[in-house]
Amino acid sequence: MAELADRADLPTPILIRRATEADRPVLERLWLLFRHDMSAVTPTLPNPDGSFRSERLEAALSESGWQAWLLTFGERPGGFAIIRGLDQPVRVLNSFFVVAGARGHGVGFDFARALLGEHPGRWDIAYQDENPAAVRLWPAVAASLDASYTVERRAVPGVPDASPDVWVSLTV
């Protein structure tokens, strides 16, 4: 567990911690918000029941090498992150989300830095050019941790018509 710097107008303490199975209901709700936000960047409609694909969330709660993290403001959930590859040479920040009401306060930047610092080593982080918040966030986080970080555009596997993902690679 790590405590982040207090921010005006947000409940405190601001904490990040590893999520557990007990956090599943909160993570599932946050996942819907995240996927809704991402549907504006990567045009995706919900499933007939209103849900979105959630195999990454399931893996983070059940598979070796995956891990979910939860961001909280006092007792209130504020975001999450999913990491894969913890058992590999390169860790991948698979999903990252901060609720809209907490954006613009530097919380995402602090959350990302704290999260990456929990698992020193090589990291890959993907985002899309169509996501302006990610375009601002990830190079700034990378530069703050590794002056020799790199940026590369890679085709999305299995989706030939999609814009390439932007991958930031760094070492913490």
Side-chain angles (χ1 to χ4, degrees), residues 4-37:
L4 304 182
D6 290 348
R7 298 287 192 260
D9 302 326
L10 294 174
T12 59
I14 303 172
L15 301 172
I16 68 164
R17 63 174 174 80
R18 289 183 182 150
T20 68
E21 182 62 33
D23 297 309
R24 180 183 290 272
V26 170
L27 288 168
E28 287 174 343
R29 289 178 186 100
L30 292 172
W31 182 261
L32 287 174
L33 297 171
F34 165 67
R35 293 305 305 170
H36 174 264
D37 277 5

Side-chain angles (χ1 to χ4, degrees), residues 63-167:
E63 292 186 23
S64 174
W66 288 72
Q67 194 171 83
W69 285 77
L70 190 61
L71 168 69
T72 60
F73 300 93
E75 296 293 317
R76 297 173 183 223
F80 71 89
I82 294 177
I83 301 168
R84 66 179 164 88
L86 289 171
D87 53 356
Q88 301 294 315
V90 179
R91 294 137 196 81
V92 177
L93 186 55
N94 192 278
S95 303
F96 185 87
F97 176 72
V98 174
V99 298
R103 296 176 191 163
H105 296 274
V107 173
F109 182 84
D110 289 350
F111 180 22
R113 285 178 45 87
L115 182 67
L116 299 178
E118 288 288 328
H119 302 284
R122 190 88 182 126
W123 281 91
D124 278 349
I125 302 163
Y127 60 92
Q128 296 74 36
D129 278 322
E130 296 82 8
N131 184 344
V135 169
R136 288 187 306 273
L137 177 65
W138 293 115
V141 168
S144 76
L145 294 168
D146 179 2
S148 62
Y149 78 95
T150 62
V151 177
E152 172 187 12
R153 282 171 175 67
R154 301 179 197 165
V156 178
V159 190
D161 295 336
S163 298
D165 284 338
V166 182
W167 286 83

